[in-house]
Amino acid sequence: MTGQTVKIASLCECGDMAVRQVNQFINFGELWWDAEFFCDGCGSYRCEHSGPGEAPDDEWRQALLAANGPVRLRLAGPVPSLVPALKVFREVSGVSLPQARGLVDKLSSDGVVGTLAEMEFLKTRLQLRGIPVDIDR
Ligand SMILES: [Zn+2]
């Protein structure tokens, strides 16, 4: 399984320092994330989120990127047309056509940057459409 985890110290209601663990991974071909909270002090545990989609950017995704480092997804060979790549970005990321064009431009130059799970997910989708891509780590 492709996935990444970050543990974030977080104050529990009991007053002890607890841990919030955020995981991002591929599940049944979809990008998923979940968040769990657990405290050794009082033994409390809860699952705060578990489901498909992109992790909320400002909190968890940035923490995942900071802990694990970003990776780059790049075009790995010549393609007759980048139209299938445009479709993938529009489907997967729900972006506008100009934004999808920007992402395709990045794919064929510096690379599209994101978390490992996000880029693995995109890589699979792009390869299914016949676009050769690879991840730089
Ligand atoms: Zn506690």
Side-chain angles (χ1 to χ4, degrees):
M1 188 184 79
T2 296
Q4 285 183 329
T5 287
V6 62
K7 289 190 165 100
I8 303 161
S10 173
L11 192 64
C12 180
E13 289 156 5
C14 76
D16 271 2
M17 281 312 282
V19 173
R20 176 170 281 122
Q21 181 169 333
V22 179
N23 310 296
Q24 191 187 41
F25 52 96
I26 311 283
N27 191 24
F28 299 109
E30 294 292 329
L31 186 64
W32 276 60
W33 71 279
D34 64 30
E36 300 165 290
F37 179 93
F38 45 92
C39 174
D40 285 339
C42 66
S44 80
Y45 169 87
R46 59 183 187 266
C47 173
E48 295 179 310
H49 179 91
S50 180
E54 292 184 358
D57 192 47
D58 44 349
E59 312 172 70
W60 312 137
R61 189 171 172 275
Q62 290 303 327
L64 281 162
L65 280 171
N68 299 287
V71 298
R72 279 170 194 276
L73 185 71
R74 277 205 186 100
L75 213 54
V79 279
S81 164
L82 284 166
V83 171
L86 277 178
K87 286 188 180 152
V88 169
F89 282 121
R90 294 210 65 186
E91 283 167 13
V92 166
S93 308
V95 295
S96 69
L97 189 57
Q99 285 172 317
R101 284 210 182 95
L103 288 167
V104 168
D105 283 347
K106 281 188 187 164
L107 199 63
S108 45
S109 55
D110 293 346
V112 174
V113 179
T115 66
L116 181 61
E118 289 166 358
M119 295 304 107
E120 286 281 359
F121 176 60
L122 270 174
K123 181 176 133 182
T124 306
R125 291 296 178 101
L126 288 163
Q127 286 176 338
L128 282 173
R129 297 289 187 102
I131 306 284
V133 284
D134 228 329
I135 290 175
D136 287 355
R137 303 192 184 193

PDB file of all heavy atoms in Angstrom, residues 6-39:
ATOM      1  N   VAL A   6       1.497  11.200   9.311  1.00  0.00           N
ATOM      2  CA  VAL A   6       2.142  12.204  10.142  1.00  0.00           C
ATOM      3  C   VAL A   6       1.492  12.171  11.516  1.00  0.00           C
ATOM      4  O   VAL A   6       0.282  11.960  11.636  1.00  0.00           O
ATOM      5  CB  VAL A   6       2.081  13.618   9.494  1.00  0.00           C
ATOM      6  CG1 VAL A   6       0.657  14.113   9.321  1.00  0.00           C
ATOM      7  CG2 VAL A   6       2.903  14.620  10.287  1.00  0.00           C
ATOM      8  N   LYS A   7       2.325  12.332  12.552  1.00  0.00           N
ATOM      9  CA  LYS A   7       1.818  12.394  13.926  1.00  0.00           C
ATOM     10  C   LYS A   7       1.983  13.825  14.413  1.00  0.00           C
ATOM     11  O   LYS A   7       3.063  14.406  14.303  1.00  0.00           O
ATOM     12  CB  LYS A   7       2.607  11.444  14.827  1.00  0.00           C
ATOM     13  CG  LYS A   7       2.319   9.983  14.557  1.00  0.00           C
ATOM     14  CD  LYS A   7       2.942   9.133  15.655  1.00  0.00           C
ATOM     15  CE  LYS A   7       2.387   7.718  15.647  1.00  0.00           C
ATOM     16  NZ  LYS A   7       3.246   6.752  15.014  1.00  0.00           N
ATOM     17  N   ILE A   8       0.902  14.365  14.940  1.00  0.00           N
ATOM     18  CA  ILE A   8       0.920  15.749  15.392  1.00  0.00           C
ATOM     19  C   ILE A   8       0.553  15.772  16.874  1.00  0.00           C
ATOM     20  O   ILE A   8      -0.491  15.231  17.258  1.00  0.00           O
ATOM     21  CB  ILE A   8      -0.095  16.591  14.575  1.00  0.00           C
ATOM     22  CG1 ILE A   8       0.212  16.494  13.081  1.00  0.00           C
ATOM     23  CG2 ILE A   8      -0.091  18.042  15.042  1.00  0.00           C
ATOM     24  CD1 ILE A   8      -0.947  16.873  12.179  1.00  0.00           C
ATOM     25  N   ALA A   9       1.399  16.388  17.678  1.00  0.00           N
ATOM     26  CA  ALA A   9       1.096  16.507  19.108  1.00  0.00           C
ATOM     27  C   ALA A   9      -0.110  17.415  19.283  1.00  0.00           C
ATOM     28  O   ALA A   9      -0.248  18.427  18.611  1.00  0.00           O
ATOM     29  CB  ALA A   9       2.296  17.070  19.846  1.00  0.00           C
ATOM     30  N   SER A  10      -0.979  17.014  20.194  1.00  0.00           N
ATOM     31  CA  SER A  10      -2.235  17.728  20.337  1.00  0.00           C
ATOM     32  C   SER A  10      -2.711  17.599  21.778  1.00  0.00           C
ATOM     33  O   SER A  10      -2.620  16.523  22.365  1.00  0.00           O
ATOM     34  CB  SER A  10      -3.223  17.097  19.358  1.00  0.00           C
ATOM     35  OG  SER A  10      -4.492  17.610  19.517  1.00  0.00           O
ATOM     36  N   LEU A  11      -3.198  18.679  22.359  1.00  0.00           N
ATOM     37  CA  LEU A  11      -3.603  18.652  23.758  1.00  0.00           C
ATOM     38  C   LEU A  11      -4.950  17.945  23.920  1.00  0.00           C
ATOM     39  O   LEU A  11      -5.913  18.250  23.229  1.00  0.00           O
ATOM     40  CB  LEU A  11      -3.700  20.093  24.292  1.00  0.00           C
ATOM     41  CG  LEU A  11      -3.829  20.237  25.800  1.00  0.00           C
ATOM     42  CD1 LEU A  11      -2.595  19.716  26.522  1.00  0.00           C
ATOM     43  CD2 LEU A  11      -4.077  21.697  26.175  1.00  0.00           C
ATOM     44  N   CYS A  12      -4.989  16.991  24.859  1.00  0.00           N
ATOM     45  CA  CYS A  12      -6.234  16.255  25.132  1.00  0.00           C
ATOM     46  C   CYS A  12      -7.063  17.020  26.175  1.00  0.00           C
ATOM     47  O   CYS A  12      -6.536  17.828  26.929  1.00  0.00           O
ATOM     48  CB  CYS A  12      -5.884  14.863  25.646  1.00  0.00           C
ATOM     49  SG  CYS A  12      -7.317  13.844  26.027  1.00  0.00           S
ATOM     50  N   GLU A  13      -8.372  16.702  26.207  1.00  0.00           N
ATOM     51  CA  GLU A  13      -9.257  17.310  27.212  1.00  0.00           C
ATOM     52  C   GLU A  13      -8.797  16.998  28.632  1.00  0.00           C
ATOM     53  O   GLU A  13      -9.074  17.751  29.552  1.00  0.00           O
ATOM     54  CB  GLU A  13     -10.690  16.770  27.034  1.00  0.00           C
ATOM     55  CG  GLU A  13     -11.368  17.290  25.793  1.00  0.00           C
ATOM     56  CD  GLU A  13     -12.488  16.370  25.308  1.00  0.00           C
ATOM     57  OE1 GLU A  13     -12.789  15.390  26.002  1.00  0.00           O
ATOM     58  OE2 GLU A  13     -13.031  16.650  24.232  1.00  0.00           O
ATOM     59  N   CYS A  14      -8.102  15.856  28.832  1.00  0.00           N
ATOM     60  CA  CYS A  14      -7.642  15.469  30.176  1.00  0.00           C
ATOM     61  C   CYS A  14      -6.423  16.278  30.609  1.00  0.00           C
ATOM     62  O   CYS A  14      -5.993  16.179  31.757  1.00  0.00           O
ATOM     63  CB  CYS A  14      -7.326  13.970  30.227  1.00  0.00           C
ATOM     64  SG  CYS A  14      -5.774  13.527  29.430  1.00  0.00           S
ATOM     65  N   GLY A  15      -5.837  17.052  29.705  1.00  0.00           N
ATOM     66  CA  GLY A  15      -4.690  17.882  30.060  1.00  0.00           C
ATOM     67  C   GLY A  15      -3.356  17.301  29.630  1.00  0.00           C
ATOM     68  O   GLY A  15      -2.339  17.988  29.648  1.00  0.00           O
ATOM     69  N   ASP A  16      -3.340  16.025  29.249  1.00  0.00           N
ATOM     70  CA  ASP A  16      -2.112  15.410  28.753  1.00  0.00           C
ATOM     71  C   ASP A  16      -1.903  15.761  27.283  1.00  0.00           C
ATOM     72  O   ASP A  16      -2.839  16.129  26.588  1.00  0.00           O
ATOM     73  CB  ASP A  16      -2.205  13.878  28.871  1.00  0.00           C
ATOM     74  CG  ASP A  16      -1.713  13.392  30.220  1.00  0.00           C
ATOM     75  OD1 ASP A  16      -1.349  14.255  31.050  1.00  0.00           O
ATOM     76  OD2 ASP A  16      -1.698  12.169  30.442  1.00  0.00           O
ATOM     77  N   MET A  17      -0.664  15.575  26.839  1.00  0.00           N
ATOM     78  CA  MET A  17      -0.403  15.717  25.419  1.00  0.00           C
ATOM     79  C   MET A  17      -0.780  14.394  24.737  1.00  0.00           C
ATOM     80  O   MET A  17      -0.307  13.333  25.122  1.00  0.00           O
ATOM     81  CB  MET A  17       1.072  16.039  25.154  1.00  0.00           C
ATOM     82  CG  MET A  17       1.424  17.492  25.394  1.00  0.00           C
ATOM     83  SD  MET A  17       0.275  18.687  24.625  1.00  0.00           S
ATOM     84  CE  MET A  17       0.833  18.638  22.920  1.00  0.00           C
ATOM     85  N   ALA A  18      -1.617  14.498  23.751  1.00  0.00           N
ATOM     86  CA  ALA A  18      -2.054  13.328  22.998  1.00  0.00           C
ATOM     87  C   ALA A  18      -1.469  13.413  21.594  1.00  0.00           C
ATOM     88  O   ALA A  18      -0.750  14.365  21.273  1.00  0.00           O
ATOM     89  CB  ALA A  18      -3.578  13.291  22.943  1.00  0.00           C
ATOM     90  N   VAL A  19      -1.782  12.417  20.780  1.00  0.00           N
ATOM     91  CA  VAL A  19      -1.266  12.369  19.416  1.00  0.00           C
ATOM     92  C   VAL A  19      -2.430  12.284  18.430  1.00  0.00           C
ATOM     93  O   VAL A  19      -3.359  11.501  18.620  1.00  0.00           O
ATOM     94  CB  VAL A  19      -0.330  11.147  19.216  1.00  0.00           C
ATOM     95  CG1 VAL A  19       0.061  11.014  17.744  1.00  0.00           C
ATOM     96  CG2 VAL A  19       0.905  11.282  20.080  1.00  0.00           C
ATOM     97  N   ARG A  20      -2.353  13.109  17.424  1.00  0.00           N
ATOM     98  CA  ARG A  20      -3.291  12.987  16.314  1.00  0.00           C
ATOM     99  C   ARG A  20      -2.490  12.440  15.136  1.00  0.00           C
ATOM    100  O   ARG A  20      -1.449  12.998  14.785  1.00  0.00           O
ATOM    101  CB  ARG A  20      -3.877  14.348  15.997  1.00  0.00           C
ATOM    102  CG  ARG A  20      -4.793  14.334  14.795  1.00  0.00           C
ATOM    103  CD  ARG A  20      -5.532  15.634  14.650  1.00  0.00           C
ATOM    104  NE  ARG A  20      -6.655  15.720  15.573  1.00  0.00           N
ATOM    105  CZ  ARG A  20      -6.830  16.670  16.479  1.00  0.00           C
ATOM    106  NH1 ARG A  20      -5.942  17.606  16.639  1.00  0.00           N
ATOM    107  NH2 ARG A  20      -7.890  16.679  17.249  1.00  0.00           N
ATOM    108  N   GLN A  21      -2.959  11.330  14.597  1.00  0.00           N
ATOM    109  CA  GLN A  21      -2.254  10.711  13.471  1.00  0.00           C
ATOM    110  C   GLN A  21      -3.099  10.831  12.217  1.00  0.00           C
ATOM    111  O   GLN A  21      -4.257  10.445  12.200  1.00  0.00           O
ATOM    112  CB  GLN A  21      -1.971   9.234  13.773  1.00  0.00           C
ATOM    113  CG  GLN A  21      -1.218   8.572  12.629  1.00  0.00           C
ATOM    114  CD  GLN A  21      -0.694   7.198  13.010  1.00  0.00           C
ATOM    115  OE1 GLN A  21      -0.439   6.905  14.156  1.00  0.00           O
ATOM    116  NE2 GLN A  21      -0.536   6.345  12.007  1.00  0.00           N
ATOM    117  N   VAL A  22      -2.489  11.397  11.187  1.00  0.00           N
ATOM    118  CA  VAL A  22      -3.176  11.567   9.909  1.00  0.00           C
ATOM    119  C   VAL A  22      -2.509  10.653   8.884  1.00  0.00           C
ATOM    120  O   VAL A  22      -1.280  10.635   8.769  1.00  0.00           O
ATOM    121  CB  VAL A  22      -3.123  13.038   9.444  1.00  0.00           C
ATOM    122  CG1 VAL A  22      -3.813  13.207   8.098  1.00  0.00           C
ATOM    123  CG2 VAL A  22      -3.781  13.933  10.479  1.00  0.00           C
ATOM    124  N   ASN A  23      -3.306   9.890   8.188  1.00  0.00           N
ATOM    125  CA  ASN A  23      -2.806   8.963   7.173  1.00  0.00           C
ATOM    126  C   ASN A  23      -3.434   9.304   5.832  1.00  0.00           C
ATOM    127  O   ASN A  23      -4.630   9.589   5.761  1.00  0.00           O
ATOM    128  CB  ASN A  23      -3.208   7.520   7.523  1.00  0.00           C
ATOM    129  CG  ASN A  23      -2.871   7.158   8.945  1.00  0.00           C
ATOM    130  OD1 ASN A  23      -1.700   7.128   9.331  1.00  0.00           O
ATOM    131  ND2 ASN A  23      -3.891   6.917   9.757  1.00  0.00           N
ATOM    132  N   GLN A  24      -2.607   9.250   4.814  1.00  0.00           N
ATOM    133  CA  GLN A  24      -3.121   9.455   3.459  1.00  0.00           C
ATOM    134  C   GLN A  24      -2.639   8.286   2.619  1.00  0.00           C
ATOM    135  O   GLN A  24      -1.459   7.939   2.662  1.00  0.00           O
ATOM    136  CB  GLN A  24      -2.581  10.773   2.898  1.00  0.00           C
ATOM    137  CG  GLN A  24      -3.274  11.191   1.611  1.00  0.00           C
ATOM    138  CD  GLN A  24      -2.611  12.393   0.976  1.00  0.00           C
ATOM    139  OE1 GLN A  24      -1.395  12.486   0.954  1.00  0.00           O
ATOM    140  NE2 GLN A  24      -3.401  13.304   0.453  1.00  0.00           N
ATOM    141  N   PHE A  25      -3.540   7.677   1.876  1.00  0.00           N
ATOM    142  CA  PHE A  25      -3.185   6.441   1.181  1.00  0.00           C
ATOM    143  C   PHE A  25      -4.157   6.177   0.036  1.00  0.00           C
ATOM    144  O   PHE A  25      -5.136   6.911  -0.137  1.00  0.00           O
ATOM    145  CB  PHE A  25      -3.170   5.261   2.172  1.00  0.00           C
ATOM    146  CG  PHE A  25      -4.434   5.138   2.983  1.00  0.00           C
ATOM    147  CD1 PHE A  25      -5.436   4.279   2.596  1.00  0.00           C
ATOM    148  CD2 PHE A  25      -4.611   5.913   4.130  1.00  0.00           C
ATOM    149  CE1 PHE A  25      -6.594   4.167   3.335  1.00  0.00           C
ATOM    150  CE2 PHE A  25      -5.780   5.813   4.877  1.00  0.00           C
ATOM    151  CZ  PHE A  25      -6.773   4.940   4.484  1.00  0.00           C
ATOM    152  N   ILE A  26      -3.848   5.126  -0.729  1.00  0.00           N
ATOM    153  CA  ILE A  26      -4.730   4.709  -1.816  1.00  0.00           C
ATOM    154  C   ILE A  26      -5.564   3.541  -1.312  1.00  0.00           C
ATOM    155  O   ILE A  26      -5.021   2.562  -0.800  1.00  0.00           O
ATOM    156  CB  ILE A  26      -3.918   4.237  -3.053  1.00  0.00           C
ATOM    157  CG1 ILE A  26      -2.828   5.234  -3.431  1.00  0.00           C
ATOM    158  CG2 ILE A  26      -4.854   3.927  -4.215  1.00  0.00           C
ATOM    159  CD1 ILE A  26      -3.285   6.453  -4.144  1.00  0.00           C
ATOM    160  N   ASN A  27      -6.861   3.642  -1.452  1.00  0.00           N
ATOM    161  CA  ASN A  27      -7.765   2.609  -0.971  1.00  0.00           C
ATOM    162  C   ASN A  27      -8.778   2.298  -2.077  1.00  0.00           C
ATOM    163  O   ASN A  27      -9.503   3.195  -2.500  1.00  0.00           O
ATOM    164  CB  ASN A  27      -8.475   3.131   0.284  1.00  0.00           C
ATOM    165  CG  ASN A  27      -9.229   2.045   1.018  1.00  0.00           C
ATOM    166  OD1 ASN A  27      -8.908   0.859   0.890  1.00  0.00           O
ATOM    167  ND2 ASN A  27     -10.221   2.444   1.786  1.00  0.00           N
ATOM    168  N   PHE A  28      -8.795   1.049  -2.519  1.00  0.00           N
ATOM    169  CA  PHE A  28      -9.700   0.656  -3.607  1.00  0.00           C
ATOM    170  C   PHE A  28      -9.594   1.602  -4.804  1.00  0.00           C
ATOM    171  O   PHE A  28     -10.602   2.001  -5.386  1.00  0.00           O
ATOM    172  CB  PHE A  28     -11.153   0.602  -3.116  1.00  0.00           C
ATOM    173  CG  PHE A  28     -11.367  -0.389  -2.018  1.00  0.00           C
ATOM    174  CD1 PHE A  28     -11.617   0.025  -0.728  1.00  0.00           C
ATOM    175  CD2 PHE A  28     -11.297  -1.753  -2.280  1.00  0.00           C
ATOM    176  CE1 PHE A  28     -11.808  -0.893   0.292  1.00  0.00           C
ATOM    177  CE2 PHE A  28     -11.485  -2.678  -1.265  1.00  0.00           C
ATOM    178  CZ  PHE A  28     -11.740  -2.245   0.015  1.00  0.00           C
ATOM    179  N   GLY A  29      -8.367   2.000  -5.134  1.00  0.00           N
ATOM    180  CA  GLY A  29      -8.150   2.847  -6.302  1.00  0.00           C
ATOM    181  C   GLY A  29      -8.508   4.311  -6.100  1.00  0.00           C
ATOM    182  O   GLY A  29      -8.459   5.089  -7.045  1.00  0.00           O
ATOM    183  N   GLU A  30      -8.864   4.698  -4.875  1.00  0.00           N
ATOM    184  CA  GLU A  30      -9.182   6.105  -4.607  1.00  0.00           C
ATOM    185  C   GLU A  30      -8.182   6.674  -3.608  1.00  0.00           C
ATOM    186  O   GLU A  30      -7.617   5.945  -2.789  1.00  0.00           O
ATOM    187  CB  GLU A  30     -10.588   6.230  -4.000  1.00  0.00           C
ATOM    188  CG  GLU A  30     -11.723   5.845  -4.931  1.00  0.00           C
ATOM    189  CD  GLU A  30     -11.892   6.806  -6.099  1.00  0.00           C
ATOM    190  OE1 GLU A  30     -11.600   8.004  -5.943  1.00  0.00           O
ATOM    191  OE2 GLU A  30     -12.293   6.344  -7.177  1.00  0.00           O
ATOM    192  N   LEU A  31      -8.008   7.984  -3.688  1.00  0.00           N
ATOM    193  CA  LEU A  31      -7.197   8.669  -2.692  1.00  0.00           C
ATOM    194  C   LEU A  31      -8.029   8.808  -1.415  1.00  0.00           C
ATOM    195  O   LEU A  31      -9.151   9.308  -1.457  1.00  0.00           O
ATOM    196  CB  LEU A  31      -6.812  10.046  -3.235  1.00  0.00           C
ATOM    197  CG  LEU A  31      -5.842  10.880  -2.404  1.00  0.00           C
ATOM    198  CD1 LEU A  31      -4.481  10.216  -2.297  1.00  0.00           C
ATOM    199  CD2 LEU A  31      -5.696  12.261  -3.011  1.00  0.00           C
ATOM    200  N   TRP A  32      -7.492   8.352  -0.311  1.00  0.00           N
ATOM    201  CA  TRP A  32      -8.190   8.420   0.978  1.00  0.00           C
ATOM    202  C   TRP A  32      -7.335   9.123   2.005  1.00  0.00           C
ATOM    203  O   TRP A  32      -6.111   9.152   1.892  1.00  0.00           O
ATOM    204  CB  TRP A  32      -8.470   7.008   1.525  1.00  0.00           C
ATOM    205  CG  TRP A  32      -9.704   6.370   0.994  1.00  0.00           C
ATOM    206  CD1 TRP A  32      -9.961   6.104  -0.316  1.00  0.00           C
ATOM    207  CD2 TRP A  32     -10.833   5.898   1.742  1.00  0.00           C
ATOM    208  NE1 TRP A  32     -11.189   5.502  -0.419  1.00  0.00           N
ATOM    209  CE2 TRP A  32     -11.747   5.356   0.818  1.00  0.00           C
ATOM    210  CE3 TRP A  32     -11.143   5.883   3.100  1.00  0.00           C
ATOM    211  CZ2 TRP A  32     -12.959   4.804   1.203  1.00  0.00           C
ATOM    212  CZ3 TRP A  32     -12.359   5.325   3.485  1.00  0.00           C
ATOM    213  CH2 TRP A  32     -13.263   4.800   2.545  1.00  0.00           C
ATOM    214  N   TRP A  33      -8.011   9.624   3.027  1.00  0.00           N
ATOM    215  CA  TRP A  33      -7.259  10.073   4.204  1.00  0.00           C
ATOM    216  C   TRP A  33      -8.085   9.783   5.438  1.00  0.00           C
ATOM    217  O   TRP A  33      -9.312   9.683   5.392  1.00  0.00           O
ATOM    218  CB  TRP A  33      -6.893  11.560   4.102  1.00  0.00           C
ATOM    219  CG  TRP A  33      -8.039  12.514   4.254  1.00  0.00           C
ATOM    220  CD1 TRP A  33      -8.933  12.861   3.288  1.00  0.00           C
ATOM    221  CD2 TRP A  33      -8.395  13.254   5.424  1.00  0.00           C
ATOM    222  NE1 TRP A  33      -9.819  13.763   3.779  1.00  0.00           N
ATOM    223  CE2 TRP A  33      -9.524  14.031   5.086  1.00  0.00           C
ATOM    224  CE3 TRP A  33      -7.857  13.344   6.715  1.00  0.00           C
ATOM    225  CZ2 TRP A  33     -10.130  14.878   6.010  1.00  0.00           C
ATOM    226  CZ3 TRP A  33      -8.471  14.190   7.619  1.00  0.00           C
ATOM    227  CH2 TRP A  33      -9.590  14.945   7.265  1.00  0.00           C
ATOM    228  N   ASP A  34      -7.388   9.587   6.540  1.00  0.00           N
ATOM    229  CA  ASP A  34      -8.090   9.462   7.806  1.00  0.00           C
ATOM    230  C   ASP A  34      -7.302  10.143   8.915  1.00  0.00           C
ATOM    231  O   ASP A  34      -6.139  10.497   8.732  1.00  0.00           O
ATOM    232  CB  ASP A  34      -8.451   8.010   8.141  1.00  0.00           C
ATOM    233  CG  ASP A  34      -7.252   7.111   8.340  1.00  0.00           C
ATOM    234  OD1 ASP A  34      -6.198   7.608   8.774  1.00  0.00           O
ATOM    235  OD2 ASP A  34      -7.374   5.913   8.078  1.00  0.00           O
ATOM    236  N   ALA A  35      -7.979  10.373  10.011  1.00  0.00           N
ATOM    237  CA  ALA A  35      -7.353  11.026  11.160  1.00  0.00           C
ATOM    238  C   ALA A  35      -7.817  10.327  12.420  1.00  0.00           C
ATOM    239  O   ALA A  35      -9.005  10.070  12.604  1.00  0.00           O
ATOM    240  CB  ALA A  35      -7.741  12.503  11.204  1.00  0.00           C
ATOM    241  N   GLU A  36      -6.851   9.990  13.282  1.00  0.00           N
ATOM    242  CA  GLU A  36      -7.160   9.339  14.545  1.00  0.00           C
ATOM    243  C   GLU A  36      -6.540  10.150  15.669  1.00  0.00           C
ATOM    244  O   GLU A  36      -5.471  10.734  15.497  1.00  0.00           O
ATOM    245  CB  GLU A  36      -6.514   7.948  14.603  1.00  0.00           C
ATOM    246  CG  GLU A  36      -6.948   6.995  13.532  1.00  0.00           C
ATOM    247  CD  GLU A  36      -6.002   5.806  13.471  1.00  0.00           C
ATOM    248  OE1 GLU A  36      -4.839   5.995  13.039  1.00  0.00           O
ATOM    249  OE2 GLU A  36      -6.393   4.723  13.874  1.00  0.00           O
ATOM    250  N   PHE A  37      -7.209  10.128  16.777  1.00  0.00           N
ATOM    251  CA  PHE A  37      -6.721  10.860  17.948  1.00  0.00           C
ATOM    252  C   PHE A  37      -6.585   9.863  19.089  1.00  0.00           C
ATOM    253  O   PHE A  37      -7.532   9.125  19.370  1.00  0.00           O
ATOM    254  CB  PHE A  37      -7.745  11.944  18.300  1.00  0.00           C
ATOM    255  CG  PHE A  37      -7.402  12.762  19.508  1.00  0.00           C
ATOM    256  CD1 PHE A  37      -6.715  13.958  19.376  1.00  0.00           C
ATOM    257  CD2 PHE A  37      -7.780  12.338  20.775  1.00  0.00           C
ATOM    258  CE1 PHE A  37      -6.408  14.717  20.490  1.00  0.00           C
ATOM    259  CE2 PHE A  37      -7.470  13.098  21.891  1.00  0.00           C
ATOM    260  CZ  PHE A  37      -6.789  14.289  21.744  1.00  0.00           C
ATOM    261  N   PHE A  38      -5.430   9.811  19.730  1.00  0.00           N
ATOM    262  CA  PHE A  38      -5.322   8.933  20.893  1.00  0.00           C
ATOM    263  C   PHE A  38      -4.457   9.535  21.976  1.00  0.00           C
ATOM    264  O   PHE A  38      -3.490  10.240  21.719  1.00  0.00           O
ATOM    265  CB  PHE A  38      -4.881   7.507  20.536  1.00  0.00           C
ATOM    266  CG  PHE A  38      -3.741   7.410  19.564  1.00  0.00           C
ATOM    267  CD1 PHE A  38      -2.433   7.333  20.016  1.00  0.00           C
ATOM    268  CD2 PHE A  38      -3.988   7.379  18.190  1.00  0.00           C
ATOM    269  CE1 PHE A  38      -1.380   7.226  19.109  1.00  0.00           C
ATOM    270  CE2 PHE A  38      -2.936   7.274  17.294  1.00  0.00           C
ATOM    271  CZ  PHE A  38      -1.641   7.195  17.755  1.00  0.00           C
ATOM    272  N   CYS A  39      -4.865   9.253  23.205  1.00  0.00           N
ATOM    273  CA  CYS A  39      -4.214   9.824  24.374  1.00  0.00           C
ATOM    274  C   CYS A  39      -3.817   8.708  25.324  1.00  0.00           C
ATOM    275  O   CYS A  39      -4.667   7.921  25.749  1.00  0.00           O
ATOM    276  CB  CYS A  39      -5.175  10.786  25.067  1.00  0.00           C
ATOM    277  SG  CYS A  39      -4.512  11.421  26.626  1.00  0.00           S
TER     278      CYS A  39
END
